[in-house]
Amino acid sequence: MKKSIIYLLLIFTVFCSACDTSENEATLSESFFKVYDNSTFDASYIPIDVKQTASDGYLILSSSRLSSTNFTGVNLIMVDKDGEFIREEVLSEEYVNPVNQLIKINDQYFFMAMNAVSLQATLFQITDSARIVSITPLGGLTYPMYLNQDGQNLLTLSYNNQDKNSVLSVISTEGAILESEGYTIGAGPDTEVPIISHFTRTGKQLPFFAGKISGGSYFFNGFYNYTLSLVFSNFSGEPVGVVQGQQDDGGFSSGVSVAGANFAASRFNFGENFIIPTVNLNTTGITSTTDIIGNPFPELVPDAPVILKLINVSGQQVILYGSSTKSGQIILMAFDASSGILNGTKYMGSTYPYEIAGFTSTSDGGLAVIGNTSVAGRFDRICLFKLSASELASLAN
């Protein structure tokens, strides 16, 4: 690996809310907003995910534009509990296209990227100070798309461009493939065009994700039989069930199992967006996303990226959606996990356009939201919003 390069970042600090000199004012670590600028004038950053560290700081996984290829490079940024920059690790251009998400297991952090030459999926283990512990090629897996946690193991979604398969795999934290199954995307030279344009960022960024139903089957959102579909799998050949989209023009943009086959989800369809806080999916048959009723959200950008997680707020389970609006703000929407009723909405960002990338719960009961903004309307930079416990409780209740 080439020697890491650390760039000094200039930090612009703005508070999320108006100043309050009362005794109830949140401390800086409880609530803040930061934009991280780079001394390299034309640098372009793409935030991917954020996790809080044991020291209450934040580890940010991001990507950056490379002049030598359409693939993007890999960057790790460490900031302290107040959001102040500590250090940045820039990986060798040998590794490209880090995928969502950044996973924490037993105080170690894992992410997945791709070898720029072999296209092989590669697992990285890092410390909470953004130091690399190990780099493990994942034999047989290429074009990585998504990484999730599966207990003490990891769940991956990737693409095999030789066999034209979407591949769902369970791997150990040491990189051993424990289970794996491929599902055809369909025959023909044009079926993989949306996938390749996703990787090179020359086309639409597609909502690949994967997960597991508690006590049940695994699922992934990827291409199967010519269309972006939610596929249910038990790693035994053909899918257990499929919820079909419409090629790459429609399908799920997010999905998580709340209780068994009861999901919280969102979908897009030819530019329109629908939020679905509760839906019982047929996990053993073939259905279509167009048959699922949802709440239309015309204020979201066309085919909006949606971050969806179940979080705990003051002892209550909450369905939290994050997305990007046409007005250039980040929106958070909190729904009651049992009833699916909307509890609250919060908008973040002003002056410059903002887009969401991810969020994570914090040890103080708050929330950290990572996103992208264009400083002076020209330079793509990473931004970090920190909501206090009271701000999150106000949103969720």
Side-chain angles (χ1 to χ4, degrees):
M1 181 186 300
K2 297 178 181 178
K3 185 178 180 181
S4 299
I5 301 172
I6 301 177
Y7 294 106
L8 295 179
L9 302 187
L10 302 177
I11 299 180
F12 296 92
T13 306
V14 182
F15 287 98
C16 291
S17 58
C19 292
D20 178 6
T21 57
S22 71
E23 295 180 358
N24 295 323
E25 181 181 9
T27 64
L28 178 58
S29 62
E30 293 175 329
S31 181
F32 61 78
F33 167 54
K34 304 282 186 178
V35 174
Y36 303 97
D37 197 13
N38 192 284
S39 57
T40 304
F41 186 71
D42 58 351
S44 180
Y45 282 87
I46 304 164
I48 295 172
D49 201 9
V50 61
K51 283 289 184 292
Q52 190 176 37
T53 66
S55 61
D56 291 334
Y58 300 93
L59 185 60
I60 300 169
L61 174 64
S62 71
S63 194
S64 58
R65 301 285 183 182
L66 301 175
S67 59
S68 59
T69 176
N70 282 331
F71 294 138
T72 56
V74 185
N75 303 70
L76 295 163
I77 297 173
M78 177 67 189
V79 302
D80 68 15
K81 65 179 182 179
D82 297 323
E84 298 295 338
F85 172 78
I86 297 176
R87 65 182 300 270
E88 179 183 19
E89 183 85 13
V90 181
L91 272 64
S92 161
E93 292 186 13
E94 176 184 357
Y95 302 108
V96 296
N97 283 34
V99 305
N100 212 5
Q101 307 178 86
L102 180 62
I103 302 297
K104 181 181 181 181
I105 299 177
N106 297 334
D107 295 325
Q108 292 293 330
Y109 301 81
F110 300 87
F111 72 91
M112 190 167 60
M114 181 173 73
N115 185 289
V117 177
S118 68
L119 309 179
Q120 188 172 37
T122 304
L123 181 68
F124 294 80
Q125 181 181 346
I126 57 176
T127 66
D128 60 7
S129 59
R131 306 289 184 183
I132 295 175
V133 175
S134 63
I135 301 175
T136 307
L138 301 177
L141 302 184
T142 56
Y143 284 105
M145 294 172 164
Y146 189 79
L147 182 69
N148 204 350
Q149 185 173 355
D150 180 25
Q152 293 298 302
N153 295 316
L154 296 163
L155 182 65
T156 73
L157 179 63
S158 59
Y159 173 62
N160 184 322
N161 67 320
Q162 296 297 317
D163 298 332
K164 300 294 187 291
N165 283 341
S166 294
V167 181
L168 185 67
S169 307
V170 176
I171 66 172
S172 71
T173 53
E174 291 77 32
I177 299 177
L178 306 178
E179 293 186 276
S180 189
E181 191 68 57
Y183 300 91
T184 180
I185 68 167
D190 297 329
T191 54
E192 72 171 5
V193 170
I195 298 174
I196 301 303
S197 63
H198 166 91
F199 275 92
T200 59
R201 291 187 173 269
T202 56
K204 181 189 298 183
Q205 289 298 285
L206 298 166
F208 298 120
F209 61 85
K212 186 181 182 181
I213 296 174
S214 179
S217 61
Y218 291 85
F219 59 87
F220 72 87
N221 199 55
F223 279 90
Y224 173 68
N225 276 350
Y226 304 98
T227 191
L228 185 66
S229 302
L230 188 66
V231 178
F232 296 92
S233 168
N234 57 12
F235 296 105
S236 61
E238 293 298 310
V240 176
V242 180
V243 185
Q244 297 174 331
Q246 297 196 70
Q247 296 181 322
D248 64 331
D249 295 312
F252 285 112
S253 50
S254 68
V256 63
S257 171
V258 178
N262 180 257
F263 272 64
S266 62
R267 69 179 181 91
F268 68 100
N269 191 59
F270 291 91
E272 296 183 294
N273 299 286
F274 302 86
I275 300 299
I276 312 160
T278 179
V279 59
N280 286 308
L281 296 180
N282 183 347
T283 63
T284 59
I286 299 177
T287 55
S288 173
T289 57
T290 57
D291 296 329
I292 298 174
I293 304 300
N295 302 313
F297 269 74
E299 66 180 312
L300 302 185
V301 297
D303 296 338
V306 178
I307 310 300
L308 169 60
K309 294 182 181 182
L310 297 176
I311 66 170
N312 187 289
V313 182
S314 303
Q316 300 296 318
Q317 191 175 53
V318 173
I319 302 167
L320 187 62
Y321 291 84
S323 192
S324 305
T325 70
K326 293 175 182 175
S327 61
Q329 291 181 292
I330 291 173
I331 182 174
L332 297 177
M333 296 167 280
F335 291 81
D336 182 270
S338 58
S339 66
I341 295 174
L342 178 65
N343 286 340
T345 301
K346 184 176 181 65
Y347 296 86
M348 298 183 296
S350 61
T351 307
Y352 301 125
Y354 293 82
E355 297 175 346
I356 196 167
F359 58 75
T360 187
S361 298
T362 58
S363 60
D364 63 358
L367 191 78
V369 182
I370 196 75
N372 169 275
T373 187
S374 296
V375 176
R378 300 173 60 188
F379 312 113
D380 291 333
R381 297 294 186 259
I382 296 169
C383 61
L384 178 63
F385 294 85
K386 170 62 172 66
L387 303 186
S388 68
S390 61
E391 288 174 314
L392 181 59
S394 178
L395 165 66
N397 298 308

